[in-house]
Amino acid sequence: MREPPLTSSEPRITRDGIRIHPREDFAGMHHAGRIAAEILDAVAPMVAPGVGTGEIDARITELVTEAGAISATIGYRGYRHASCISVNHVVCHGIPGSAVPTGRAEAVRADDCLRDGDIVNIDVTVIVDGWYGDSSRMYVAGTPKPYALRLIRVTHEALMRGIAAVRPGATFGDIGHAIQSYVEGERMSVVRDFCGHGLGRVFHAPPNVLHFGRPGTGPVLEEGMFFTIEPMVNLGRPETRVLGDEWTAVTRDRSLSAQFEHSVGVTATGHEVFTLSPRGVFFPDLAAVGAD
Ligand code: MF3
Ligand code: CO
Ligand code: CO
């Protein structure tokens, strides 16, 4: 049977359950993404030794409101904060204001204050006019160790190589492969237990965007798909464990972990990144910490 012709602006769901958005939906994603990025820009100066992760989250809560946005994470599956703040060997979903696991056995810090040399991921998701903007990036408190900076550089480059693979006709396996082959070539590991996701008018939609894979496998990318790429990279082994709070994911071997996340859309010729930093500070200013 003949199907009616589709115009390019007609919404559609692929056989893999992935929504194809018309061109006019890109504007809402750019707006939401920019607000997430502006918030991540604005808190950069707060990340310093002695500052509590709960203080940073409180400021993020204010910034979300001031922007006229809604936090996507407050109330999400019982989560109660406007950000996730993941320090050192916390892989993702670190709870702001909670004691930071130290990496020594089950020991935790007496408070939530950052210390000199900590590496910190802050992840913010906002809803603006119904559209979701989801981004995270790395920050450093004080002066981190050279191996920590190398981890941050490799993780950022991994995300950028994943994004570079985004174009119609490529596959999700191509994205995963671009990330995995680069990271493993740097003798670091890609976390398997968490992945990127489709988003749009919903927070987490198909597909699962794996940060590892084989070229040519997985769903084929089409113009109008919106999703995140958010690789988590460990200095040691890839295995993770979720703490008793049921959120905080840590590396099992307690090695350092880093993550960067962008929300992107597939265009006719490639991609657009929705969560670009207006101040151009997505990647931390390592020269400012005396690292360059
Ligand atoms: N922003 C995270 C992501 O990248 C999800 C956080 S869910 C929360 O998908 F509840 F932990 F905040
Ligand atoms: Co995400
Ligand atoms: Co996120």
Side-chain angles (χ1 to χ4, degrees):
M1 186 138 77
R2 217 164 194 299
E3 291 182 39
L6 288 175
T7 66
S8 69
S9 70
E10 214 164 333
R12 178 166 76 76
I13 307 280
T14 70
R15 65 175 67 204
D16 301 296
I18 306 168
R19 181 171 290 274
I20 304 300
H21 293 268
R23 188 62 220 173
E24 55 263 32
D25 287 359
F26 280 68
M29 290 300 287
H30 273 291
H31 190 199
R34 188 172 65 250
I35 286 172
E38 281 169 355
I39 292 168
L40 291 176
D41 281 3
V43 295
M46 286 186 81
V47 179
V51 177
T53 57
E55 286 177 64
I56 298 172
D57 181 71
R59 181 69 189 128
I60 290 170
T61 305
E62 287 176 357
L63 289 164
V64 170
T65 306
E66 286 168 19
I70 295 169
S71 167
T73 56
I74 296 174
Y76 176 76
R77 298 187 178 202
Y79 196 78
R80 295 181 11 241
H81 309 274
S83 63
C84 297
I85 303 187
S86 303
V87 180
N88 294 339
H89 75 296
V90 178
V91 173
C92 62
H93 301 164
I95 300 175
S98 62
V100 177
T102 61
R104 285 189 304 280
E106 297 303 308
V108 293
R109 294 178 180 175
D111 55 41
D112 73 327
C113 291
L114 297 173
R115 297 189 188 177
D116 187 43
D118 282 347
I119 65 167
V120 184
N121 175 277
I122 304 181
D123 189 336
V124 170
T125 311
V126 292
I127 312 170
V128 181
D129 298 329
W131 297 101
Y132 283 68
D134 185 5
S135 184
S136 84
R137 57 175 94 150
M138 296 303 296
Y139 305 81
V140 295
T143 310
K145 296 279 189 283
Y147 58 82
L149 295 175
R150 197 174 147 250
L151 170 66
I152 292 172
R153 283 204 182 86
V154 167
T155 308
H156 178 265
E157 176 67 16
L159 169 61
M160 291 308 162
R161 287 181 184 221
I163 293 172
V166 175
R167 73 183 78 87
T171 70
F172 282 94
D174 294 340
I175 298 173
H177 182 260
I179 293 168
Q180 180 184 17
S181 59
Y182 169 68
V183 168
E184 292 180 354
E186 295 294 324
R187 294 211 288 282
M188 299 181 192
S189 67
V190 174
V191 169
R192 316 295 172 98
D193 303 334
F194 299 92
C195 57
H197 48 92
L199 85 173
R201 287 191 195 275
V202 290
F203 197 170
H204 293 114
N208 287 331
V209 181
L210 305 181
H211 304 112
F212 57 93
R214 281 176 293 124
T217 64
V220 176
L221 276 66
E222 295 182 42
E223 181 182 3
M225 289 181 177
F226 298 162
F227 53 88
T228 72
I229 306 178
E230 47 182 301
M232 287 139 275
V233 175
N234 300 347
L235 274 183
R237 293 191 52 83
E239 292 81 10
T240 69
R241 188 165 68 83
V242 176
L243 299 185
D245 60 25
E246 295 183 4
W247 283 105
T248 311
V250 298
T251 54
R252 278 191 176 265
D253 64 5
R254 302 191 181 88
S255 65
L256 284 186
S257 187
Q259 180 180 26
F260 284 88
E261 173 177 28
H262 269 315
S263 299
V264 304
V266 184
T267 64
T269 54
H271 55 264
E272 288 173 11
V273 179
F274 299 130
T275 44
L276 291 175
S277 162
R279 292 190 209 168
V281 293
F282 183 70
F283 188 75
D285 185 359
L286 298 179
V289 298
D292 278 331

